[in-house]
Amino acid sequence: MGTPLDSAFVSSLPKTTYYIPNFITPAEESFLLSQIASAPKPKWTVLSHRRLQTWPSALSKSNVLLGEPLPPWLETLLIPRMQELGIWDSSPHRAPNHVLVNEYRPGEGIMPHEDGPAYYPMVATVSLGASIVLDVFEKSEESLGEVRFRILQESRSLLVTTDDMYTAHLHGIAQAVADENLGPETVANWDLLGDKTCFTASRYDREIRTSLTYRDVLKVSKFALRNSLFKR
């Protein structure tokens, strides 16, 4: 028996990756971007090649998350929609409890990395504002530095990675002002794209792209959760 995610399965990638274009509407995208822009300035962490927000808070040194709820604008719009697809059915909390908001301007990116053992091995990323290419690398010294796969994340799309794609691979975004050499031979999810006409010139000039990265942190402070409920 099939699942709602079957049509989103990216067969050319190691297991398991799903890609859904137009996961949200343009109006929902505008709403989310406005909420991000209205966040208090101290909520932003400015790094050398991007800036980010962490909700509800950063993890402790021992990878524990304070048991605080996500803000409604990050929860009520997207999480039920993900749950309807069964994305979080196997995660410990059956829902994500942590969101990173990353903003990439043209020329900015992030080095190849892995999300690590603090999280249930699944990531769900919603792209806002613009498209971008995610580079995937095998996690071995022999292949380190060589791009193994490329995933084109369109604005308003959802990308879900789990299993070997989470544990045996690294991912990163090149520091570039344009993504080039785009086509069915080079982009793993080409057949699933919502609008290929934007990339028919095999090139996409980058604009400001913001990502919402949803994950389920394994260790949650029960004391902080009880304290939060008491306050309410």
Side-chain angles (χ1 to χ4, degrees):
M1 184 175 179
T3 70
L5 281 174
D6 286 349
S7 60
F9 178 66
V10 186
S11 59
S12 60
L13 289 173
K15 292 185 177 179
T16 306
T17 303
Y18 302 100
Y19 180 80
I20 301 176
N22 300 311
F23 183 68
I24 60 174
T25 67
E28 291 168 336
E29 178 185 43
S30 296
F31 167 75
L32 291 168
L33 287 171
S34 69
Q35 293 297 308
I36 294 168
S38 63
K41 189 175 181 180
K43 195 65 181 177
W44 285 104
T45 299
V46 180
L47 304 177
S48 57
H49 296 294
R50 72 187 194 284
R51 65 174 185 161
L52 61 89
Q53 298 176 14
T54 307
W55 297 94
S57 62
L59 304 188
S60 71
K61 292 182 179 179
S62 54
N63 287 332
V64 176
L65 175 68
L66 295 178
E68 300 286 344
L70 291 167
W73 60 272
L74 281 173
E75 183 171 6
T76 57
L77 177 62
L78 296 178
I79 292 180
R81 199 171 298 180
M82 294 179 189
Q83 290 173 319
E84 288 177 4
L85 294 171
I87 291 172
W88 301 102
D89 285 357
S90 58
S91 76
H93 302 103
R94 300 184 67 84
N97 53 19
H98 191 259
V99 180
L100 282 184
V101 180
N102 283 289
E103 181 189 87
Y104 298 93
R105 295 179 176 272
E108 296 181 335
I110 185 170
M111 295 290 291
H113 65 284
E114 60 182 325
D115 291 321
Y119 310 96
Y120 177 76
M122 175 178 289
V123 180
T125 302
V126 177
S127 294
L128 306 173
S131 303
I132 208 164
V133 167
L134 183 74
D135 295 325
V136 179
F137 308 78
E138 290 184 359
K139 193 168 63 175
S140 65
E141 293 184 2
E142 294 80 9
S143 61
L144 190 60
E146 297 180 10
V147 177
R148 185 71 179 87
F149 305 101
R150 303 171 80 206
I151 302 172
L152 181 49
Q153 295 177 265
E154 297 169 283
S155 180
R156 300 188 300 279
S157 68
L158 173 69
L159 176 70
V160 179
T161 57
T162 185
D163 301 327
D164 283 352
M165 274 295 287
Y166 185 99
T167 58
H169 294 80
L170 308 178
H171 56 277
I173 295 173
Q175 297 176 24
V177 297
D179 289 307
E180 302 184 89
N181 192 26
L182 304 177
E185 294 81 20
T186 59
V187 174
N189 60 321
W190 184 262
D191 290 341
L192 294 175
L193 294 179
D195 184 7
K196 300 182 182 68
T197 61
C198 298
F199 315 107
T200 51
S202 300
R203 173 189 172 96
Y204 178 80
D205 291 319
R206 288 190 186 174
E207 302 173 65
I208 298 175
R209 181 256 188 174
T210 304
S211 63
L212 306 179
T213 302
Y214 284 79
R215 292 176 290 202
D216 186 0
V217 179
L218 298 176
K219 298 179 182 179
V220 178
S221 170
K222 296 180 180 179
F223 173 80
L225 180 58
R226 287 199 299 268
N227 191 43
S228 173
L229 294 172
F230 176 75
K231 288 180 180 178
R232 291 203 293 270

